[in-house]
Amino acid sequence: IEVEPRRIVAGADLQLTVLITNTGSVISGYTIRLLGIDPAWVALDEAVPRLFPGESTVVTAQLQIPAELPAGERRVAVQVRAQTDDRLTAVEEVVLHVPGAPQVDVTLEPTTVMAGRRAVFEAHVHNRGNTQVAATLLGVDEERALGYAVDPPQFALSPGEHATLALT
């Protein structure tokens, strides 16, 4: 088998082409699997190609990688197995790169407060992205009439994690 490309970046219109050649002496069907990712993310244009001896075909695999998959590189194995003989199996590796997509949501509770010179809020910070986020929470007042203090001012969150900070 030959697989192209050997390195893919997760995103829209992601596909692999797999060239399969029957080097045996009998007609055979071939099962194609992508190992290392969820089978629900893969759509093959031909599920079980059948080839005469010496014949070749190209199968296209369309991949739908979910946006919430953690960022980083992982290896995906393309496995092609002859249905006539399980010992006739070929495996090629492809590198799947999932770029980081940081997304941080911040909400304040309560949303309004009646106060004199000082008010305290809870700042709920949630990492909804697919990569670790380290940041500082700052308050900004364009009129420069208010001062802000955040405790703790910095936070580091893994994907899916959340934290509560005190905003005074």
Side-chain angles (χ1 to χ4, degrees):
I1 66 171
E2 293 179 26
V3 179
E4 289 293 328
R6 301 305 294 237
R7 179 179 170 81
I8 53 178
V9 178
D13 195 31
L14 186 59
Q15 69 179 21
L16 290 173
T17 58
V18 182
L19 172 66
I20 303 169
T21 302
N22 181 351
T23 59
S25 58
V26 296
I27 299 170
S28 184
Y30 294 88
T31 303
I32 303 163
R33 294 178 34 197
L34 273 70
L35 309 174
I37 61 173
D38 189 326
W41 304 345
V42 180
L44 300 171
D45 67 349
E46 189 173 359
V48 183
R50 301 199 184 311
L51 300 173
F52 286 95
E55 189 178 25
S56 296
T57 191
V58 174
V59 176
T60 301
Q62 296 285 357
L63 306 177
Q64 294 293 324
I65 306 299
E68 63 272 7
L69 189 67
E73 288 194 350
R74 55 194 37 84
R75 301 228 181 267
V76 175
V78 178
Q79 178 192 66
V80 177
R81 177 175 286 165
Q83 291 183 328
T84 54
D85 185 350
D86 283 347
R87 295 174 296 167
L88 298 176
T89 301
V91 177
E92 291 289 333
E93 282 192 352
V94 174
V95 175
L96 170 63
H97 176 74
V98 179
Q103 178 184 348
V104 177
D105 292 342
V106 179
T107 57
L108 295 178
E109 286 188 14
T111 54
T112 59
V113 66
M114 297 291 284
R117 295 182 52 88
R118 185 179 165 126
V120 178
F121 297 85
E122 286 185 344
H124 299 283
V125 182
H126 189 189
N127 182 356
R128 296 190 188 280
N130 70 348
T131 188
Q132 181 157 349
V133 175
T136 301
L137 188 63
L138 301 171
V140 177
D141 176 24
E142 292 179 6
E143 297 174 4
R144 297 184 183 199
L146 301 175
Y148 300 90
V150 180
D151 184 30
Q154 288 100 12
F155 61 90
L157 300 173
S158 294
E161 284 188 329
H162 56 88
T164 301
L165 311 168
L167 172 64
T168 306

